[in-house]
Amino acid sequence: MDFSTFGLAPALLRALAEQGYNNPTPVQAQAIPLILDGHDLLAGSQTGTGKTAAFSLPLLHRLATGNGRRQPRQVRALILTPTRELAAQVHDSIKAYGRHLGLRTAQVFGGVNINPQTAALRGGLDILVATPGRLIDHLQQGNVSLAQVEVLVLDEADRMLDMGFLPALKKILGQLPADRQSLMFSATFAEEIRQLAQSFLRDPQQLQIASRNATASSVSHCVHPVEASAKKDALLHLLAADSRRQTLVFARTKHGSDKLVRWLSKSGLKAAAIHGNKSQNARTRALADFKSGRITVLVATDIAARGLDIDQLPMVINHDLPMVAEDYVHRIGRTGRNGASGLAVSLVCQDEVDQLRAIQRLLPQSLQIDVLAGFEPSVPLDINARGKKANGGGRRPQPGGSRPQAQRKARPAGSPRAPHGHPRQRNRKRMASNA
């Protein structure tokens, strides 16, 4: 199967060919025909599977071949994303796919000057990519109307709920026409997502490309138990094994991200941080430097890294485990994309054993714990012993079920052994406040 089988506009096929895209991914192969047929859609697809093109291509085709025309202050298609980075990346993809269509697009999000956005909105748009907060600002100022939206897309809807955007979403949905097509994409089909879908989708088709709570099969997982005081040294040891390798490092807090960058920079590595306290220009520059190879280590918090689109990222390191177990899958989704191999490494101290247990409870196989030579902890990491539930909880083992057996032996740095999985928990507020 290739893209020509969908009956897409020739200008779209031309743009795809120019970018070297010939064959659709599974989510594209299933979603594009449904969207072209006019169905509402609830699609579950893990990151890195090509979901942006899955909704962008049929959306562009509809706008290019339909009878509608843009009008001042009106928007024909609205795409909502949870973060500024994701909004920018979606907008860039749409511009690339629609480069020969002559459609007018714009992106609006916070952290940048509002005046150019206002001018773009007042002229009318075919496609608007926006974050909820800044869009509401424009709606309140009368810069834009949503009364003529033909298609609504909610991208990464699960993260929107995680970040507390539900009230904003309800305000926006209340200004949309009832006669529209609505598409909802999410990494998971949690109960909150299904409830949100029921509130605004009409008899939707449902797709779930990845199995529920599953990580990419091309990612290898490795857990290194270390003392909390030795984490920075262990991280430097792993990174120094190949200082030219691009690596995304996750820290739990904004302050922790900055401290790691200072430590790594003093040690001779080219590193930058990306988190909510950084200006949009600083975040954009850090991501561009990372993609170009000017820096090799990008240190991020969970929220800031959500939606980062980085091709062929070979390695992700969890300097700190996430407080919410589900965020583990979002973190490691930055590597192993589109079938490429990837490595996810976690540095875990004794204080994080509850988080690790919460992750393990949601994995289909046992976590194998590999001691990093030279960084052996004074107390072995035991995820089998009973302990209090990690912040945010997680599913309890079924009665009569056996707990996984951890395997411990010293291995060279970066050697993958642990299985994969997609954990889920529900404590959001503490994580969001620290991002």
Side-chain angles (χ1 to χ4, degrees):
M1 175 186 290
D2 58 37
F3 285 107
S4 63
T5 61
F6 300 127
L8 295 170
L12 276 174
L13 296 177
R14 177 184 169 192
L16 289 169
E18 290 171 349
Q19 296 175 73
Y21 299 148
N22 299 312
N23 304 112
T25 66
V27 67
Q28 294 163 4
Q30 295 188 46
I32 289 175
L34 294 174
I35 299 173
L36 288 173
D37 286 342
H39 294 287
D40 281 13
L41 180 65
L42 173 58
S45 180
Q46 65 192 55
T47 186
T49 56
K51 60 184 175 64
T52 300
F55 63 75
S56 297
L57 295 175
L59 172 60
L60 288 164
H61 174 86
R62 170 174 174 160
L63 297 179
T65 60
N67 296 323
R69 293 292 180 269
R70 63 176 177 263
Q71 299 179 29
R73 298 179 192 269
Q74 297 292 336
V75 174
R76 298 180 63 197
L78 173 63
I79 301 172
L80 293 175
T81 72
T83 66
R84 294 174 276 183
E85 284 75 23
L86 183 56
Q89 289 162 18
V90 169
H91 184 253
D92 288 345
S93 295
I94 287 175
K95 288 182 64 178
Y97 300 144
R99 61 194 303 179
H100 303 302
L101 296 177
L103 298 174
R104 188 177 181 190
T105 68
Q107 54 187 333
V108 302
F109 46 74
V112 296
N113 191 333
I114 198 172
N115 293 330
Q117 298 177 0
T118 299
L121 291 171
R122 290 178 176 175
L125 296 169
D126 292 295
I127 302 174
L128 172 63
V129 185
T131 54
R134 178 53 66 93
L135 177 57
I136 287 178
D137 290 342
H138 284 291
L139 288 168
Q140 292 174 339
Q141 295 178 31
N143 298 329
V144 63
S145 168
L146 304 180
Q148 296 184 15
V149 169
E150 301 172 32
V151 183
L152 167 69
V153 180
L154 261 61
D155 192 13
E156 302 211 356
D158 52 337
R159 178 54 59 170
M160 288 197 200
L161 296 187
D162 290 346
M163 296 174 66
F165 281 136
L166 184 57
L169 288 177
K170 289 182 177 180
K171 288 183 181 179
I172 294 169
L173 293 173
Q175 300 198 36
L176 296 170
D179 185 19
R180 66 175 190 271
Q181 183 180 21
S182 299
L183 314 173
M184 185 174 177
F185 285 77
S186 175
T188 63
F189 273 0
E191 185 58 32
E192 307 97 298
I193 294 298
R194 295 185 181 276
Q195 291 176 3
L196 178 62
Q198 290 174 1
S199 69
F200 78 97
L201 298 179
R202 297 178 302 176
D203 191 23
Q205 298 290 310
Q206 294 191 31
L207 296 176
Q208 188 154 15
I209 304 303
S211 60
R212 194 170 184 174
N213 294 332
T215 58
S217 59
S218 56
V219 177
S220 300
H221 303 249
C222 180
V223 175
H224 293 315
V226 296
E227 298 286 350
S229 60
K231 273 196 173 188
K232 290 194 297 183
D233 289 318
L235 174 63
L236 182 61
H237 175 75
L238 293 172
L239 294 173
D242 185 354
S243 60
R244 295 171 298 178
R245 176 179 55 197
Q246 283 186 299
T247 304
L248 180 59
V249 176
F250 281 97
R252 187 174 299 135
T253 67
K254 295 172 281 192
H255 178 63
S257 299
D258 289 334
K259 286 182 64 177
L260 280 179
V261 168
R262 289 193 294 269
W263 166 263
L264 296 173
S265 297
K266 289 180 180 179
S267 301
L269 293 175
K270 297 178 180 178
I274 182 169
H275 54 66
N277 278 359
K278 298 287 186 181
S279 68
Q280 185 57 42
N281 287 337
R283 293 164 72 164
T284 300
R285 183 170 59 252
L287 182 58
D289 287 346
F290 186 64
K291 286 184 174 183
S292 68
R294 286 191 290 271
I295 63 173
T296 55
V297 183
L298 186 65
V299 183
T301 56
D302 288 296
I303 290 179
R306 180 69 173 194
L308 291 183
D309 186 11
I310 305 168
D311 292 333
Q312 306 301 322
L313 181 62
M315 190 175 187
V316 168
I317 298 178
N318 295 304
H319 179 269
D320 308 307
L321 284 185
M323 295 302 298
V324 179
E326 182 193 31
D327 284 334
Y328 178 82
V329 75
H330 297 310
R331 289 182 175 195
I332 66 174
R334 306 304 107 191
T335 187
R337 292 187 163 204
N338 298 316
S341 61
L343 176 62
V345 174
S346 298
L347 300 173
V348 183
C349 66
Q350 190 63 37
D351 289 343
E352 296 173 304
V353 69
D354 286 331
Q355 288 101 295
L356 193 62
R357 286 175 185 145
I359 292 171
Q360 173 65 94
R361 283 196 293 266
L362 299 178
L363 297 181
Q365 296 172 304
S366 299
L367 272 174
Q368 294 179 339
I369 302 177
D370 295 336
V371 177
L372 186 62
F375 294 90
E376 297 84 354
S378 58
V379 178
L381 194 67
D382 185 4
I383 66 172
N384 300 316
R386 292 185 179 274
K388 66 179 181 179
K389 188 165 57 177
N391 289 344
R395 288 200 300 251
R396 294 180 180 274
Q398 295 299 314
S402 61
R403 289 179 180 257
Q405 290 296 319
Q407 301 176 16
R408 302 178 182 84
K409 63 179 180 177
R411 292 181 58 81
S415 298
R417 286 293 303 274
H420 55 277
H422 180 161
R424 175 162 181 80
Q425 281 186 312
R426 300 191 185 219
N427 185 356
R428 309 295 179 195
K429 293 183 179 179
R430 181 175 179 183
M431 178 273 295
S433 66
N434 287 329

